[in-house]
Amino acid sequence: MKMKIPTIDFSEVNGDNRARALSVLHDACLNWGFFMIENHGIEEAVLEKVKLLVNAHYDETMKDKFYDSEMAKNLGKIPLSDVDWESMFFISHKPTSNISRFPNISDHLCKAMEEEYIPQLVMIAEKLAELMCENLGLQKTHIKQLFNGTKGPSVGTKVAKYPECPLPELVRGLREHTDAGGIILLLQDDKVPGLEFQKDGEWFKIPPSKNNAIFVNIGDQIEVLTNGKYKSVLHRVLAEKEGSRLSIATFYNPASDAVISPAAEALYPGGYTFEDYLKFYNTRKFGDKEKRFGSMKNM
């Protein structure tokens, strides 16, 4: 499917073209579930440093381990199911950071993530949340306050590489799913493709990001709290024969005790904690989203 991804010039949000930026964002949330943001204000040097350090970490500590895994060794020899062709780890940033618990992560990568990159990304996520509220006629802090719970939002980063795959037709890089949380901001590879989102029943290829644009998609909790107006979207990563794809996805999510609920007249499930949803989601991540919501309503 050849269509142009909605792109928001973040420099317009507080300028003369604010109305245009808000309109693009609203259309993207209503009809796409994903979009790009350019001119977001994070210095290119910071983004390049993070990507360089993550790639170095993968090459030094993760690559050999991945190709020595039983999954990689059995590709093409036995049928593989319920697996993803990815090498990843997850860093929690808020409400508390766990990055120091990863013994192989360099001090340079820790500092780049925790001090230079993530604080700016959180500000972008919170600004997007305000703009979504404005477009929906809600108080601008509605999403932020809802996500805060008693200890502030949950913010974490999935750092992933999708290694070169000799038989990409036999396995997914990452199977089809929607994201459990709120607003997802992705710093991705500028050369290797593979990410696809579903739109209107067809798979839409997301090209590698140019000029360090950040790719954004909506998670399940935004769909619930907007009464289904802004929908989370199925996406997947294809395995690629040439090149290892980099993916640094940061999740701006509700606190574990945040009570997620839309307007009173909503047909969606409500009144559960995000922690309960995650427990349910983790056993049904790759299943049908509507059935997942239906089961939550019956709980």
Side-chain angles (χ1 to χ4, degrees):
M1 182 184 295
K2 291 184 178 181
M3 290 187 289
K4 188 176 180 181
I5 301 172
T7 301
I8 298 161
D9 184 341
F10 225 54
S11 67
E12 294 184 344
V13 167
N14 295 316
D16 295 338
N17 294 318
R18 175 180 171 81
R20 179 173 65 186
L22 283 167
S23 177
V24 173
L25 175 63
H26 189 52
D27 178 71
C29 293
L30 277 175
N31 300 309
W32 294 70
F34 57 90
F35 51 91
M36 301 287 290
I37 54 174
E38 296 178 339
N39 299 318
H40 40 66
I42 303 179
E43 292 183 3
E44 183 177 354
V46 172
L47 301 177
E48 289 299 327
K49 182 195 297 186
V50 169
K51 291 192 291 184
L52 179 67
L53 291 170
V54 167
N55 279 326
H57 177 76
Y58 167 75
D59 288 337
E60 293 167 7
T61 68
M62 299 172 69
K63 184 176 180 179
D64 290 343
K65 184 178 179 181
F66 175 82
Y67 285 114
D68 285 340
S69 68
E70 290 301 311
M71 179 188 67
K73 289 179 179 179
N74 286 323
L75 183 67
K77 298 177 182 178
I78 62 174
L80 296 177
S81 61
D82 299 330
V83 297
D84 301 304
W85 189 265
E86 71 173 355
S87 178
M88 58 77 65
F89 59 96
F90 191 90
I91 303 169
S92 295
H93 307 292
K94 290 178 176 290
T96 55
S97 174
N98 70 347
I99 195 169
S100 62
R101 300 176 190 171
F102 293 91
N104 295 322
I105 293 181
S106 70
D107 291 341
H108 294 299
L109 179 53
C110 285
K111 183 175 180 180
M113 290 289 287
E114 296 294 289
E115 297 181 17
E116 301 177 62
Y117 179 58
I118 294 301
Q120 295 190 74
L121 212 60
V122 170
M123 287 192 292
I124 291 172
E126 291 180 343
K127 186 62 177 180
L128 284 170
E130 287 185 3
L131 298 174
M132 289 178 187
C133 288
E134 185 173 343
N135 277 332
L136 291 165
L138 303 172
Q139 289 188 353
K140 73 175 187 176
T141 58
H142 179 80
I143 292 175
K144 181 179 179 180
Q145 290 178 345
L146 194 66
F147 277 26
N148 274 351
T150 60
K151 51 192 175 183
S154 298
V155 179
T157 298
K158 177 183 176 182
V159 179
K161 288 283 286 189
Y162 296 94
E164 289 186 355
C165 182
L167 299 168
E169 67 277 6
L170 297 182
V171 67
R172 288 270 189 269
L174 181 62
R175 288 162 287 161
E176 293 83 350
H177 66 287
T178 62
D179 288 325
I183 299 173
I184 299 87
L185 304 99
L186 171 67
L187 178 62
Q188 67 162 342
D189 206 287
D190 58 2
K191 295 183 177 65
V192 183
L195 179 62
E196 294 188 344
F197 270 70
Q198 195 171 89
K199 176 168 170 54
D200 301 328
E202 298 185 44
W203 287 104
F204 184 96
K205 296 182 184 298
I206 307 299
S209 293
K210 302 300 181 184
N211 302 318
N212 283 316
I214 291 176
F215 182 86
V216 180
N217 70 279
I218 290 169
D220 292 349
Q221 305 314 304
I222 295 294
E223 177 167 341
V224 171
L225 68 86
T226 63
N227 284 354
K229 201 165 190 178
Y230 291 172
K231 284 184 166 54
S232 59
V233 184
L234 275 174
H235 53 286
R236 65 188 183 187
V237 178
L238 301 184
E240 296 289 332
K241 196 165 188 176
E242 296 182 5
S244 296
R245 178 177 174 271
L246 172 66
S247 170
I248 305 172
T250 298
F251 298 79
Y252 177 74
N253 286 347
S256 60
D257 66 348
V259 177
I260 306 301
S261 183
E265 69 274 15
L267 299 177
Y268 277 82
Y272 55 82
T273 66
F274 183 53
E275 183 176 24
D276 288 338
Y277 183 84
L278 273 182
K279 290 176 182 177
F280 195 73
Y281 172 88
N282 286 335
T283 63
R284 295 166 173 82
K285 175 177 179 178
F286 300 106
D288 182 81
K289 178 180 65 179
E290 303 304 329
K291 290 181 180 178
R292 189 160 71 232
F293 285 160
S295 295
M296 285 296 292
K297 282 194 288 187
N298 294 331
M299 287 178 64

